[in-house]
Amino acid sequence: MDQLKLDIVSFLESRKEIIFERWKEKIIIPTENDYKKVILRGELLFEVMLHAFSLEKEALDQYLIKITSENAEYLKINETTNFSYIIYNANIAKNEMLIEVSKYHSSWEEIRPVYIKLSETIDRFLFYVTNYYTSLKDEQIEETKHTSKNNHEDRLTLLGQMTSSFVHEFRNPLTTVHGFVQLLRSENPELPYMDIILNELEQLKFRITQFLMLSRKEVLNQEVTLFSLNELLDQIASFIYPKLLEANVELERELEDNLYVTGYIEEIRQVLINIIFNAIDVLTEQMTSSVIKIKGYLTEDHSIVLETSNTGPKIPEQLLNTIFEPFVTTKKTGTGLGLYVCKEIIEKHNGQLYCTSDDEWTTFTIKLPPAETKNDETRED
């Protein structure tokens, strides 16, 4: 360090008490109990600045990083309420030190580089303090996210245990009732309301299957197969027909021929019924004309796209970002699990499920990979 810098450092040390008296008159103290702590921080800042002032850039950065980390707890830079005071009071100290430098008995041209170097040194120290604080806050946010995610997983585990034990007990008598109703209908076709009863039982079985899939303890007796999406939608249309009539909702279908999917047919059926039921629930609440439109087609790479659109109200943007998360629902009696299960199933099939919404249509889009087995057979023919 050249002689001028040494002289200015000595000068500032000799003026320390005066600098501190002016500084103490201008600083802001968070609370009365913090007064002594703030004064100690000011003294530390003064010593750090004078030492850092004598270092070259590379050594300066290493020193400031080290001193910030070592004194983080002492400076309380992890506390939001105190951090703003630290920055403000440090800037007051900077100004007071620079005022003293400007009073040094030398020409301005001589002291100007020293003045700038001291100012930059203090600014650099505040940069590392701010950076350290930001890093701490980022870690806290990530930890909070991780904790929140774990809480979701714990809730899902608990829900799975509860539903698995309850629903298994519930499904056995339901299967018996369903079987005898089918037997009654075959033996007594003239009995009224049998179709309605069977339809309601089917819907109840569907809801039970939904919970069992969520619990992840249900091993469905099924295999991966190649099936026609066109035929599956024909079956679903028949299944939901009574509910469409009841809700006065029109179903429109626009499907290309020979749409084939490789996967678990019951799981894909689960997804489609759930999305359509959700649309019917939304449309039931509006007085205007209600339409559900299902459009299916192949892309250029033979991926299958199925778009289920409804004329219900627009979904707010903030809800679109969370609509597939567990326990998120707009229904008064909803569990917020249906779309979460749907997304899990589609992703299990290496596909994508997403939602778009505007003032005219709300569309749930399913994209599934090509059914290569069927495509290969077609090409061979």
Side-chain angles (χ1 to χ4, degrees), residues 202-241:
E202 287 288 347
Q203 291 191 32
L204 188 54
K205 286 175 64 180
F206 164 74
R207 296 300 182 189
I208 287 175
T209 302
Q210 185 181 58
F211 276 107
L212 288 175
M213 284 183 175
L214 180 67
S215 73
R216 299 182 183 275
K217 295 181 180 294
E218 176 74 355
V219 180
L220 297 176
N221 185 23
Q222 58 177 327
E223 296 179 353
V224 174
T225 58
L226 181 71
F227 59 90
S228 168
L229 194 58
N230 306 72
E231 293 178 4
L232 178 60
L233 283 167
D234 285 339
Q235 297 169 12
I236 292 173
S238 299
F239 171 66
I240 66 173
Y241 181 70

Side-chain angles (χ1 to χ4, degrees), residues 76-286:
K76 298 294 183 184
I77 62 176
N78 61 322
E79 297 180 7
T80 304
T81 54
N82 284 336
F83 183 70
S84 58
Y85 294 99
I86 291 172
I87 298 300
Y88 177 81
N89 292 337
N91 274 299
I92 295 297
K94 168 188 171 180
N95 292 338
E96 293 303 324
M97 292 173 71
L98 292 176
I99 288 172
E100 289 302 314
V101 172
S102 67
K103 294 178 180 179
Y104 187 71
H105 299 292
S106 184
S107 68
W108 171 246
E109 289 302 318
E110 287 182 322
I111 66 170
R112 187 169 65 87
V114 179
Y115 183 97
I116 294 173
K117 173 69 184 299
L118 180 60
S119 178
E120 290 177 346
T121 300
I122 298 175
D123 287 342
R124 203 152 191 84
F125 174 67
L126 292 179
F127 163 76
Y128 284 115
V129 170
T130 304
N131 190 59
Y132 189 89
Y133 170 81
T134 303
S135 298
L136 286 178
K137 288 302 172 185
D138 287 344
E139 290 177 6
Q140 291 174 7
I141 291 171
E142 288 301 317
E143 185 177 345
T144 301
K145 288 181 179 178
H146 181 70
T147 302
S148 177
K149 181 180 178 182
N150 287 341
N151 288 340
H152 270 304
E153 291 177 352
D154 290 343
R155 292 169 71 184
L156 288 175
T157 300
L158 177 61
L159 178 65
Q161 294 170 348
M162 292 172 60
T163 56
S164 182
S165 59
F166 170 76
V167 175
H168 273 294
E169 294 297 326
F170 190 79
R171 188 173 60 170
N172 292 333
L174 179 63
T175 302
T176 302
V177 172
H178 186 265
F180 276 107
V181 170
Q182 287 181 313
L183 183 61
L184 277 172
R185 187 176 66 168
S186 63
E187 293 179 351
N188 303 277
E190 74 284 356
L191 284 175
Y193 312 123
M194 296 304 292
D195 288 341
I196 296 175
I197 294 172
L198 276 173
N199 180 263
E200 292 299 317
L201 288 173
E202 287 288 347
Q203 291 191 32
L204 188 54
K205 286 175 64 180
F206 164 74
R207 296 300 182 189
I208 287 175
T209 302
Q210 185 181 58
F211 276 107
L212 288 175
M213 284 183 175
L214 180 67
S215 73
R216 299 182 183 275
K217 295 181 180 294
E218 176 74 355
V219 180
L220 297 176
N221 185 23
Q222 58 177 327
E223 296 179 353
V224 174
T225 58
L226 181 71
F227 59 90
S228 168
L229 194 58
N230 306 72
E231 293 178 4
L232 178 60
L233 283 167
D234 285 339
Q235 297 169 12
I236 292 173
S238 299
F239 171 66
I240 66 173
Y241 181 70
K243 197 168 181 68
L244 290 170
L245 282 180
E246 180 184 351
N248 193 27
V249 175
E250 181 182 354
L251 178 65
E252 298 179 0
R253 284 187 286 167
E254 183 183 334
L255 303 173
E256 291 184 2
D257 295 332
N258 300 319
L259 296 176
Y260 286 90
V261 174
T262 303
Y264 298 99
I265 185 171
E266 291 305 319
E267 292 189 355
I268 299 299
R269 187 197 308 273
Q270 162 95 6
V271 171
L272 297 177
I273 292 177
N274 194 78
I275 290 175
I276 296 171
F277 273 9
N278 282 350
I280 293 174
D281 289 342
V282 170
L283 295 173
T284 302
E285 300 176 1
Q286 66 180 26

